[in-house]
């Protein structure tokens, strides 16, 4: 029963991390510029405008952040599958925990690379804003949840 509780905790970490990264990714406050801010998709100075002509590095950040969300959602689906099997008393295939840790490693890696690229392209790191930091915390929580989920699901199988 403690493995089920640990698995629920892992799902909580991954879910919260996914939510934080999703909010960080969607909000336009990655970098403060004067009276406004820049996000992955919008520039806001009074009103927000979609970034039309993006630099290659920003397109890369967009792609990596979306892949981070998709990978973390895949991890949540795998945890739900593990829960379902545990409650039904069915044996768990030995590859499922590996897929779980792989999906969280991928999610955290995508998010971390996105963050590194964005930070390397901003001239003043002191102006990085809260959306940037939400994505960092989200990536870390996803990784922690993946480790907990991997260990507890291995003990269930």
């Amino acid at each position: 029963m403690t493995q089920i509780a640990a698995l629920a905790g892992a799902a909580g970490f991954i879910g919260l991390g996914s939510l934080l990264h999703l909010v960080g990714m969607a909000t336009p406050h990655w970098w403060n510029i004067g009276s406004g801010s820049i996000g992955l998709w919008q520039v806001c100075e009074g009103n927000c405008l979609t970034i039309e002509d993006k630099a290659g590095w920003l397109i890369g950040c967009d792609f990596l952040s979306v892949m981070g969300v998709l990978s973390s959602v895949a991890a949540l689906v795998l945890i739900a599958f593990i829960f379902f099997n545990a409650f039904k008393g069915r044996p768990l295939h030995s590859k499922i925990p590996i897929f779980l840790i792989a999906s969280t490693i991928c999610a955290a890696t995508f998010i971390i690379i996105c963050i590194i690229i964005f930070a390397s392209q901003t001239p003043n790191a002191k102006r990085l804003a809260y959306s940037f930091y939400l994505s960092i915390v989200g990536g870390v929580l996803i990784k922690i949840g993946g480790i907990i989920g991997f260990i507890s699901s291995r003990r269930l199988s």
Side-chain angles (χ1 to χ4, degrees):
M1 193 52 84
T2 59
Q3 269 46 16
I4 298 293
L7 201 57
F13 273 107
I14 294 170
L16 181 60
S18 300
L19 180 66
L20 289 176
H21 173 60
L22 186 63
V23 169
M25 178 182 84
T27 54
H29 298 283
W30 279 57
W31 187 46
N32 291 325
I33 52 164
S35 63
S37 61
I38 295 176
L40 295 180
W41 286 283
Q42 292 180 328
V43 175
C44 296
E45 285 187 282
N47 60 343
C48 294
L49 301 171
T50 302
I51 302 172
E52 297 294 330
D53 190 24
K54 292 186 179 186
W57 65 269
L58 191 54
I59 294 170
C61 285
D62 292 350
F63 173 76
L64 291 167
S65 66
V66 169
M67 291 304 295
V69 169
L70 294 176
S71 298
S72 66
V73 168
L76 287 172
V77 168
L78 287 168
I79 283 190
F81 181 75
I82 294 167
F83 269 125
F84 179 75
N85 280 331
F87 285 126
K88 293 289 186 178
R90 295 179 185 162
L92 185 64
H93 191 278
S94 63
K95 299 291 185 205
I96 299 297
I98 294 169
F99 291 144
L100 174 63
I101 193 74
S103 64
T104 57
I105 287 172
C106 287
T109 302
F110 287 138
I111 294 167
I112 289 167
I113 293 172
C114 170
I115 288 164
I116 291 169
I117 291 171
F118 193 91
S120 72
Q121 296 297 318
T122 54
N124 187 353
K126 292 180 182 177
R127 300 173 96 180
L128 292 171
Y130 75 88
S131 297
F132 178 83
Y133 296 111
L134 281 176
S135 287
I136 291 174
V137 172
V140 169
L141 289 176
I142 291 167
K143 183 63 184 146
I144 291 169
I147 293 169
I148 294 169
F150 175 75
I151 292 169
S152 60
S153 63
R154 291 289 288 190
R155 290 184 178 168
L156 281 173
S157 55

